[in-house]
Amino acid sequence: MYIDTHAHLNSPALNNKLEEVIKEAQDNQVKLFIVPGFDYETSVKALELAHKYPFVYAAIGYHPTEIKGYTEKEYKWLEDHINDDKVVAIGEIGYDFYWDTTTKEEQTEAFIRQIEIAKKANKPLIIHSRDAIQLTLDTLKETKASTIGGVMHAYSGSLEMAPLFINENFYLGIGGPVTFKNAKEIKKVVENIDLKYLLSETDSPYLTPHPYRGTENGPKYIPLIVNEIVSIKGINQEETEKVLLENAKKLFKLE
Ligand SMILES: [Zn+2]
């Protein structure tokens, strides 16, 4: 059985077909889901889904491009819900300089504030980092985020940088891009980094793996990602499945 450690079942795009998406995933042995929020509404929704389904866990948090205009109210909501039994992490939070809806200062403030909330509750982080890999590492170090650890969701840094995140107690989230023919660096990461530091994730409905690119992604495609890891590393399928599940259970303290 598999886990999808990053499935946006809270995406408004899935509102009308959520049962179907879950069923298709279960038919493909994907039986556990972590649903990260990216803004206030999707964090509320993630928590709602986690309370509705025993096999869904929530992460709550605000993505760096979504924090514009957020006030005490939104952060208070995080503080009020971080200790919920079904909230397993704060996320997704971090930096994104691909879009320019928020400034570096705004992103830094929101990122650090949410790291502090997670530290207080002793829950790990789900990190989004786009065009900001070094700054992300610097911030994790400065805030001593290693005390809680987490995952570099959709890891897109170099092989050289991977151990630096692992040193800070971060796993590397491996998703659809590992199946892309031209994704040489992430294939190198998977080949060279020990399986015990990797997590399986889809980021659905985004980042659809090969050969379904151009269509909507779903947690049902986790086996494609795991198979790619198996083939790159040349290791045993069942063992890989087992270790990836154990990694997630350990990080997110799932029972
Ligand atoms: Zn995401």
Side-chain angles (χ1 to χ4, degrees):
M1 110 179 201
Y2 303 97
I3 181 166
D4 187 347
T5 61
H6 203 109
H8 289 293
L9 301 179
N10 51 350
S11 164
L14 300 182
N15 259 348
N16 298 320
K17 48 179 169 181
L18 190 56
E19 296 294 333
E20 184 191 331
V21 168
I22 291 173
K23 169 86 168 51
E24 285 172 344
Q26 289 169 335
D27 289 346
N28 285 282
Q29 303 308 311
V30 183
K31 303 266 174 88
L32 291 172
F33 309 84
I34 292 173
V35 177
F38 44 89
D39 58 11
Y40 172 73
E41 285 77 17
T42 54
S43 292
V44 170
K45 180 81 178 173
L47 192 54
E48 222 180 270
L49 294 173
H51 284 161
K52 181 171 179 192
Y53 301 106
F55 47 83
V56 169
Y57 298 87
I60 55 176
Y62 310 137
H63 187 285
T65 63
E66 304 294 329
I67 46 160
K68 196 123 210 145
Y70 276 22
T71 61
E72 289 308 307
K73 173 181 160 256
E74 285 81 11
Y75 292 100
K76 170 102 178 9
W77 187 87
L78 289 183
E79 286 165 359
D80 287 346
H81 294 88
I82 180 72
N83 288 310
D84 187 292
D85 282 345
K86 291 299 292 279
V87 171
V88 296
I90 281 264
E92 55 189 289
I93 62 172
Y95 288 115
D96 192 320
F97 297 126
Y98 180 79
W99 309 99
D100 60 357
T101 52
T102 45
T103 64
K104 181 180 172 186
E105 288 66 35
E106 289 169 326
Q107 293 193 19
T108 303
E109 194 192 331
F111 189 19
I112 293 178
R113 185 161 186 178
Q114 294 180 90
I115 292 173
E116 294 308 327
I117 294 172
K119 279 169 71 179
K120 221 167 135 192
N122 193 29
K123 297 208 174 169
L125 307 171
I126 296 177
I127 305 288
H128 171 100
S129 177
R130 189 165 189 191
D131 297 346
I133 197 78
Q134 183 63 50
L135 181 62
T136 302
L137 180 63
D138 294 344
T139 303
L140 294 177
K141 283 185 169 176
E142 278 159 25
T143 55
K144 299 192 168 51
S146 60
T147 56
I148 45 176
V151 55
M152 289 298 293
H153 147 60
Y155 181 70
S156 60
S158 63
L159 171 60
E160 286 68 32
M161 285 195 83
L164 304 180
F165 286 99
I166 291 167
N167 275 344
E168 300 303 311
N169 279 330
F170 278 77
Y171 288 79
L172 309 177
I174 306 298
V178 76
T179 66
F180 302 167
K181 289 218 162 28
N182 58 356
K184 297 208 169 66
E185 194 67 23
I186 191 65
K187 287 184 197 291
K188 248 168 48 183
V189 169
V190 167
E191 185 183 349
N192 290 284
I193 298 294
D194 196 303
L195 187 63
K196 71 179 179 204
Y197 301 118
L198 308 183
L199 293 183
S200 54
E201 60 166 58
T202 58
D203 201 18
S204 52
Y206 318 103
L207 292 179
T208 312
H210 174 79
Y212 299 107
R213 285 178 90 172
T215 67
E216 189 174 82
N217 196 9
K220 65 179 172 187
Y221 292 140
I222 279 284
L224 292 176
I225 292 158
V226 175
N227 287 345
E228 186 66 25
I229 295 173
V230 166
S231 115
I232 290 171
K233 292 182 101 53
I235 51 180
N236 177 275
Q237 157 76 34
E238 270 169 42
E239 179 66 12
T240 305
E241 208 175 304
K242 197 176 119 220
V243 173
L244 288 169
L245 181 61
E246 278 168 4
N247 293 348
K249 284 186 168 175
K250 189 172 159 205
L251 174 63
F252 297 112
K253 303 181 189 89
L254 310 181
E255 253 340 298

